[in-house]
Amino acid sequence: MFRFQINGQWHEAATDKTLLQYLRDDLRLTGTKDGCAAGACGACTVIVAGKKVKACVFRLSQLVDKPVITIEGLTEREKEVYVYAFGECGAVQCGFCIPGMIMSAKALLDENLEPTRDDVKLAINGNICRCTGYVKIEDAILLAAKLFRENSPVPKSDRSGKIGSLLHRVDAAEKTLGTGLYTDDMTLPGMIYAKAVRSSYPRAIVEHIDISKALAHPDCVTVLLAKDVPFNKTGHIIQDWDVLIAEGDTTRYMGDAIALVATEHKDTLDEVCKLVEVRYTELTPITSPEQALALDAPKLHENGNILSHQLFQRGNAEEAIKQAKYVVTRHYSTPQTDHAFMEPECAIAEPRPDGGLNMYTGGQSVYDEQHEISRMLQIEADQVHVHSMLVGGGFGGKEDMSVQHHAALMAWHTKRPVKVKFSRQESLDIHVKRHAMEMDITTACDEQGKLVASKVIIVSDCGAYASLGGPVLQRACTHSGGPYQYDNFYVEGTCVYTNNVPGGAFRGFGVTQSVFGQEVNMDILAQMAGLDPWEFRYKNAIRPGQALPNGQLAGPETGLVECLEQVKEAFYASPRTGLAVCMKNSGIGVGLPDVGRACLEVKEGKVHIRTSAACIGQGLGTVATHILCETAGVSPDDVIVEAPDTDRTPDSGTTTASRQTVFTGEAVRVAANELQQILVSGKTLADLEGCEYYGEYHGITDKMGAAKPNPVSHVAYGYGACVATIDDKNFVSHMDVAFDVGRVINPKACEGQVEGGTLMGMGYGVTEDFVMNNGRVMSKYGTLGLLRAKQRPEITVHFVEKGTPDQMAYGAKGIGEISSIPMAPAISNAFRRIDGEERRRLPLQHTGYKR
């Protein structure tokens, strides 16, 4: 028997287990988060006998007679201070890491109320944040220290909510204190637990599946096979991903599900899964696009090994390159990388009395989940009610079905609530990654350094299934010309199936890869033309009224030139700097339907914002609140943002392509205009009880390759510039970034998005990789190369605002995706400027960083 104290209360336990398991499962203290269960991420940090520890590796047998403090055990004063400080500084995004960060902060401030920033960095260095870039978290801890040190009262918030003002995130308090619910924080009466048995080989014929021993286990509820799935395929655009692999079929990667096991208790899941016996005939895996494109390559899918082929041309690139004075051609390689969002995937499915299902999930679109689950079960969409819990980060990695469909399938068969949750390693092994790409890029200019043409050939590793491989390739292609003005552009791209982990949506959506190559080319070409990198880009930068390489005319709000002017001083401040620029679309575009929707409902004197737009950390609810307050003149105290819910909130599309600020923001403005017209007539919210106001915004664009001189590919483009400075130990010491965002809705939130994107983009450049060997995942969470607080360089952020109130969403263009794009090439260019070595493969070699 182990006896210990938790938050001042004595407890006894007979079974030795991790402190994390005891806190979450036995005591239901869910503020302590399960991020990796391997001691790497710090989300489960608590304080034991005055010292911070990671609850996932600390066992009850180590706790005898010791006191434990969790996030729930903070004093009321501490809770008040941390909620204010983290809200005021904009330190909360997805929020999953924040309780652990605060416990690390408490351990520091309990001993030192006058910490330096370096002290704070050291204190949180064991805690990973994937959203914020750590800057705002450090700011919040320093502010908390000041309030504690001076014993100051927490200032009262008096915010107008108007655009451009500081407004605490609408979910800051619940995320700070760990009271907000992510899916794994929930339990339901009678809930069982399910998990898939996965393939032992990346490519093998499943000859026979024997589930008899598993079914005989006393804790086993049932085991489902492919024959139990009404429609055994899933996939957003192309339904090629097997829900379960059937006997006689061939696996396509190590993450393929063979059987779905359910048990009464989650502690027995692995035990029962091991009792499922699968006999395979192993086949040689296809692990590169080159192998898959060979004439004698086996077909991995019925239609062959090419998922998508994209071709776009404008002018005559071949002829312009022949006539050009200076030409550079280089090959570039970028790897798969993992999103590493802090919250592993989890879903709960619950049968409804009417025969339908309630789903509790944490994805990027409740309507996509509803659609895919109802199609799998062959039932009407309205029989699947999907409610989003808090989402602990996404970055594109939670667009695909991962656990949702399996939870639904098991609940449908057993008529019992079911939870399916990935371990961190399962998340790494199974969910989609950033596409690896091989690129050949030719760029040419005239004698004066004016760009005349570019030719780009891209081969993308799709992995085992389509996911969003086609659209990602398309964005990589359409943006590969860069944010420059020239008329001769040719790009051809091919996305190829392999037996690797599938590629999917990832922040930057293919542009991160192609911009890396093109921007390194630009530095080489500038040198050939006798211009420095800043002069060359400034000379060729797209300006309002000019046509981009894809033919779209740049609008009057285009601000790339201003971005370059903002970072000019930083570039010339040192001979150890590198520069890169980029553009990124807002919205799905390319002629596809793209609609933002929102409904405002007045209930009990409050305006409820109802939209399905998912907040995955970017703060969509706060953006919508700003736009409502600006338009209708209501106070943010009178606004409630509802969670995405297919029964309550209109479909506003997937949180992807930096579209939600623009599309849902404009839909909120349309609805709020209607509300405002009534309020100015003398009515009050009390008079409007039960009234609803609906808004939509449709993005109208042209198909890729549309036969017109200047097609509109996307409703808006953001632009950015980055200067990276390298210190004398070959580490990145400073990132100076400028982004044309159209209009800043919330300054702290926007700056925090940029800081987080900057660090993610830097990691992509120098440390991050996802290692596979012959189709097998070799990476662990602790070996992904995620940057920590002590590795963070100084980050200086500049904004260019040329958007006008008459434009959609008051001129805002979004920041979520573009903020991670130009860092890797800027760093590569800085190192080449220092030592002359071209670095054309990521992560970059011969730097101060070790892998």
Side-chain angles (χ1 to χ4, degrees):
M1 189 68 68
F2 310 108
R3 187 172 183 267
F4 42 84
Q5 192 182 74
I6 296 179
N7 297 333
Q9 299 293 319
W10 286 99
H11 296 266
E12 291 184 346
T15 304
D16 196 14
K17 59 177 68 173
T18 67
L19 176 55
L20 179 63
Q21 291 170 323
Y22 185 77
L23 292 172
R24 292 184 59 83
D25 298 341
D26 293 58
L27 301 186
R28 302 301 306 149
L29 293 176
T30 57
T32 303
K33 304 303 180 187
D34 181 0
C36 71
C41 76
C44 66
T45 301
V46 298
I47 296 176
V48 175
K51 302 295 182 183
K52 65 178 181 180
V53 304
K54 294 173 181 176
C56 66
V57 294
F58 205 88
R59 303 192 69 83
L60 299 187
S61 56
Q62 300 171 270
L63 273 183
V64 176
D65 294 333
K66 294 178 180 178
V68 178
I69 300 175
T70 72
I71 190 74
E72 293 89 350
L74 297 181
T75 67
E76 290 305 311
R77 166 68 173 167
E78 287 174 320
K79 290 178 181 178
E80 185 183 28
V81 166
Y82 283 120
V83 165
Y84 174 78
F86 275 68
E88 183 73 7
C89 295
V92 181
Q93 290 188 30
C94 91
F96 198 81
C97 73
I98 298 300
M101 289 284 184
I102 287 174
M103 297 313 293
S104 289
K106 175 177 168 56
L108 169 67
L109 301 187
D110 281 351
E111 296 183 357
N112 177 12
L113 283 179
E114 295 187 356
T116 64
R117 188 170 290 270
D118 284 342
D119 292 333
V120 173
K121 284 185 177 184
L122 179 61
I124 64 172
N125 201 54
N127 300 71
I128 290 175
C129 176
R130 197 64 166 147
C131 294
T132 67
Y134 303 105
V135 181
K136 298 290 184 279
I137 293 175
E138 296 165 18
D139 292 343
I141 294 171
L142 290 169
L143 176 57
K146 180 177 185 294
L147 291 170
F148 288 135
R149 182 172 65 246
E150 298 175 356
N151 198 26
S152 305
V154 169
K156 297 298 181 185
S157 178
D158 181 21
R159 311 298 188 193
S160 68
K162 295 297 182 68
I163 288 175
S165 68
L166 174 61
L167 178 67
H168 289 200
R169 280 186 63 124
V170 298
D171 51 10
E174 62 177 344
K175 288 179 173 178
T176 299
L177 298 180
T179 57
L181 296 180
Y182 301 84
T183 309
D184 190 39
D185 297 334
M186 291 180 59
T187 58
L188 297 176
M191 190 169 75
I192 59 177
Y193 301 85
K195 178 179 180 176
V197 175
R198 304 281 171 175
S199 174
S200 298
Y201 305 96
R203 182 167 172 259
I205 301 170
V206 177
E207 302 288 4
H208 181 66
I209 307 169
D210 185 350
I211 62 174
S212 58
K213 292 179 182 177
L215 290 172
H217 190 286
D219 203 47
C220 181
V221 176
T222 192
V223 180
L224 301 179
L225 300 175
K227 63 182 177 61
D228 300 310
V229 188
F231 179 71
N232 194 36
K233 294 286 185 179
T234 189
H236 281 341
I237 300 173
I238 296 174
Q239 289 76 61
D240 65 349
W241 200 327
D242 298 83
V243 177
L244 295 170
I245 299 290
E247 284 187 351
D249 285 351
T250 302
T251 67
R252 297 186 180 91
Y253 85 120
M254 294 283 291
D256 271 331
I258 309 295
L260 188 63
V261 173
T263 58
E264 295 285 352
H265 304 92
K266 69 177 180 180
D267 293 343
T268 63
L269 256 180
D270 287 337
E271 180 182 335
V272 177
C273 284
K274 290 176 182 177
L275 297 176
V276 175
E277 297 178 350
V278 186
R279 188 172 76 248
Y280 300 91
T281 296
E282 185 179 1
L283 303 172
T284 302
I286 306 299
T287 59
S288 72
E290 182 181 23
Q291 293 173 350
L293 292 172
L295 292 177
D296 59 349
K299 286 187 177 182
L300 301 185
H301 285 272
E302 184 178 349
N303 294 328
N305 293 345
I306 294 178
L307 167 70
S308 177
H309 181 260
Q310 301 286 332
L311 176 64
F312 176 83
Q313 54 186 330
R314 180 170 170 262
N316 190 333
E318 291 280 4
E319 185 61 27
I321 290 168
K322 286 180 184 177
Q323 299 298 322
K325 175 68 175 179
Y326 302 109
V327 178
V328 58
T329 300
R330 295 291 189 273
H331 182 82
Y332 297 92
S333 299
T334 61
Q336 283 192 323
T337 48
D338 190 79
H339 305 75
F341 34 71
M342 295 302 297
E343 176 205 19
E345 299 88 333
C346 183
I348 294 174
E350 175 189 35
R352 295 195 314 208
D354 64 2
L357 289 175
N358 290 327
M359 300 292 305
Y360 304 94
T361 66
Q364 293 181 219
S365 171
V366 291
Y367 279 95
D368 285 350
E369 292 169 323
Q370 181 190 56
H371 176 66
E372 297 211 37
I373 290 167
S374 62
R375 183 179 59 207
M376 176 190 70
L377 296 177
Q378 298 288 280
I379 60 178
E380 295 298 321
D382 61 8
Q383 286 187 270
V384 181
H385 165 223
V386 185
H387 180 89
S388 179
M389 310 305 292
L390 294 178
V391 184
F395 313 111
K398 290 180 178 175
E399 289 192 40
D400 298 270
M401 293 299 98
S402 55
V403 290
Q404 305 97 314
H405 58 319
H406 283 166
L409 180 66
M410 186 58 73
W412 185 252
H413 276 278
T414 62
K415 309 304 179 189
R416 295 181 63 180
V418 179
K419 178 183 282 190
V420 179
K421 178 192 174 185
F422 279 168
S423 69
R424 176 56 68 178
Q425 191 59 47
E426 286 172 324
S427 179
L428 293 177
D429 293 346
I430 297 163
H431 84 240
V432 300
K433 308 292 177 250
R434 191 197 306 269
H435 291 85
M437 292 188 185
E438 299 293 324
M439 298 169 287
D440 291 291
I441 302 178
T442 298
T443 317
C445 70
D446 64 18
E447 193 166 8
Q448 288 74 43
K450 182 73 175 69
L451 286 170
V452 296
S454 183
K455 179 181 179 181
V456 180
I457 306 296
I458 299 173
V459 178
S460 172
D461 185 346
C462 184
Y465 296 104
S467 181
L468 291 165
V472 168
L473 176 68
Q474 194 176 67
R475 294 310 169 277
C477 289
T478 57
H479 288 66
S480 64
Y484 302 104
Q485 197 283 314
Y486 56 92
D487 297 327
N488 302 292
F489 178 47
Y490 177 97
V491 61
E492 185 174 2
T494 308
C495 187
V496 186
Y497 287 116
T498 67
N499 291 124
N500 293 325
V501 176
F506 197 126
R507 191 181 206 174
F509 210 76
V511 183
T512 332
Q513 294 95 308
S514 60
V515 161
F516 168 67
Q518 188 65 269
E519 283 300 296
V520 173
N521 257 21
M522 290 296 171
D523 258 37
I524 300 169
L525 193 60
Q527 184 177 32
M528 295 170 68
L531 297 172
D532 74 37
W534 190 92
E535 291 175 319
F536 186 81
R537 287 176 175 82
Y538 195 76
K539 182 184 187 75
N540 290 287
I542 190 71
R543 288 165 167 82
Q546 295 179 337
L548 288 160
N550 65 14
Q552 182 164 342
L553 294 176
E557 77 286 350
T558 299
L560 178 59
V561 166
E562 290 84 351
C563 288
L564 278 165
E565 290 169 347
Q566 291 281 2
V567 301
K568 181 178 182 179
E569 183 179 347
F571 178 75
Y572 288 114
S574 166
R576 301 177 68 87
T577 59
L579 172 66
V581 299
C582 69
M583 67 179 186
K584 180 65 177 72
N585 62 287
S586 293
I588 297 168
V590 293
L592 296 173
D594 205 359
V595 185
R597 299 181 178 92
C599 180
L600 305 179
E601 180 184 7
V602 181
K603 293 174 61 178
E604 299 178 352
K606 304 286 187 182
V607 183
H608 288 239
I609 300 176
R610 290 164 37 199
T611 175
S612 74
C615 175
I616 58 175
Q618 84 281 30
L620 189 278
T622 310
V623 167
T625 300
H626 274 291
I627 290 176
L628 170 59
C629 294
E630 177 78 23
T631 307
V634 300
S635 166
D637 294 334
D638 294 328
V639 178
I640 294 174
V641 181
E642 294 195 12
D645 185 299
T646 54
D647 282 4
R648 287 278 302 163
T649 58
D651 186 357
S652 200
T654 309
T655 293
T656 188
S658 280
R659 62 182 296 280
Q660 291 297 5
T661 291
V662 176
F663 282 75
T664 297
E666 178 62 13
V668 170
R669 181 165 79 162
V670 170
N673 270 326
E674 189 176 347
L675 172 61
Q676 188 266 345
Q677 291 170 14
I678 296 173
L679 290 175
V680 297
S681 71
K683 299 278 189 179
T684 67
L685 292 179
D687 298 324
L688 302 178
E689 182 67 23
C691 292
E692 295 186 2
Y693 308 92
Y694 180 74
E696 278 191 4
Y697 168 65
H698 292 254
I700 308 301
T701 55
D702 298 310
K703 292 182 179 179
M704 183 176 172
K708 52 169 56 176
N710 299 110
V712 176
S713 182
H714 296 281
V715 298
Y717 286 100
Y719 298 88
C722 173
V723 169
T725 303
I726 310 299
D727 66 18
D728 58 7
K729 295 182 180 179
N730 280 346
F731 292 103
V732 179
S733 61
H734 199 108
M735 299 291 271
D736 200 288
V737 295
F739 287 102
D740 160 26
V741 298
R743 183 82 181 275
V744 174
I745 302 294
N746 183 308
K748 287 287 186 183
C750 197
E751 193 173 63
Q753 283 279 290
V754 171
E755 289 160 351
T758 296
L759 201 67
M760 184 178 283
M762 174 182 157
Y764 181 54
V766 296
T767 57
E768 290 186 36
D769 200 358
F770 184 80
V771 180
M772 299 192 69
N773 183 10
N774 205 31
R776 296 177 181 272
V777 175
M778 308 304 292
S779 290
K780 308 295 182 185
Y781 191 76
T783 66
L784 290 175
L786 307 179
L787 293 172
R788 296 177 181 269
K790 285 181 65 178
Q791 296 170 290
R792 176 185 69 77
E794 292 300 308
I795 301 173
T796 301
V797 179
H798 311 270
F799 289 123
V800 173
E801 295 184 87
K802 294 176 70 176
T804 57
D806 59 300
Q807 296 173 320
M808 61 276 192
Y810 289 98
K813 295 195 284 191
I815 189 62
E817 290 203 272
I818 194 173
S819 59
S820 68
I821 292 174
M823 291 75 205
I827 296 168
S828 179
N829 288 336
F831 277 112
R832 177 178 172 273
R833 196 175 172 204
I834 292 167
D835 60 20
E837 178 186 343
E838 292 182 16
R839 291 167 174 82
R840 293 180 274 115
R841 176 182 295 273
L842 296 179
L844 301 172
Q845 301 300 303
H846 307 139
T847 71
Y849 299 90
K850 305 299 181 184
R851 290 287 298 131

